[in-house]
Amino acid sequence: MNKYLKELVELSKYDKKLAELVPLEENIKRPLTKLETKVKTLTTKLEKLEEEIKNLILKKSKNELLISELKEKLSQIAEKTAKVKTAKEAKALTLEEELAKEQIESANEEIDKFETQVEAKKEEKEEIKKEIEQLEAEIVIVQTEIQSKLDVLEEQKKAIFENKDKLIKEMDQNIYKFYEKIKKWAGNTAVSPVKKQACMGCYMKINDKTYADVIKAEEIVTCPHCGRVLYIENEETE
């Protein structure tokens, strides 16, 4: 096999190995990610509850202020009633007094309702806090468990990167730039094997002459359909 072609096949395999490690790393981290997502969701819910509690307390305060104003109004009505001179004035003040008392009663009912809601949300808030604490404790355990697996994976990545960097330094830089140019659009299939006379990158059948050149492997041959570098898999390239 042509020296440059062999280097391209080897470089491609390093990139594919690195790409294969990505889902492995995600799989190792998945239990931790799942727990962290739960904590994030609960934290958001906790913040929402805190905001709801603030709004309920504000509504309660507004009703308390209203009651205070209505009580002051009742005092003023009482003073006016003591000085009333006609039945018509007395009736008007009585109606005004009844309305104020009804408003006070309604405001008290609203206060009771808001207090009940606040207590319920505070209880829910405490339950969520406990759940977050439990999850955070579990995260610490899981982090310890997965770290050793991640360390092993990191060593594998390091070894591949070192071999890849060594190869790149030894390569003709024009060949390497040629590979990177194809890789920009083809990704880790920039160098693709040929099977049953078809490019495994685009799955298109190549003509007999191109296929013969790929088999000879005396020079770099690209797919006439997609432009990927082609080669035949054998013991030398596996």
Side-chain angles (χ1 to χ4, degrees), residues 161-175:
F161 271 120
E162 287 176 353
N163 289 329
K164 179 185 171 182
D165 288 341
K166 183 181 177 183
L167 175 62
I168 291 171
K169 288 175 183 177
E170 294 172 352
M171 287 177 69
D172 182 306
Q173 291 307 296
N174 288 325
I175 298 296

Side-chain angles (χ1 to χ4, degrees), residues 141-192:
I141 296 170
V142 171
Q143 280 176 328
T144 304
E145 291 175 350
I146 70 171
Q147 191 56 53
S148 57
K149 294 179 182 178
L150 289 174
D151 288 342
V152 171
L153 196 66
E154 192 59 36
E155 285 300 314
Q156 292 176 0
K157 284 168 67 176
K158 185 180 177 182
I160 295 170
F161 271 120
E162 287 176 353
N163 289 329
K164 179 185 171 182
D165 288 341
K166 183 181 177 183
L167 175 62
I168 291 171
K169 288 175 183 177
E170 294 172 352
M171 287 177 69
D172 182 306
Q173 291 307 296
N174 288 325
I175 298 296
Y176 175 63
K177 288 176 183 177
F178 170 68
Y179 169 79
E180 284 295 310
K181 186 177 179 180
I182 300 173
K183 189 183 171 186
K184 281 182 180 179
W185 59 265
N188 292 322
T189 64
V191 181
S192 294

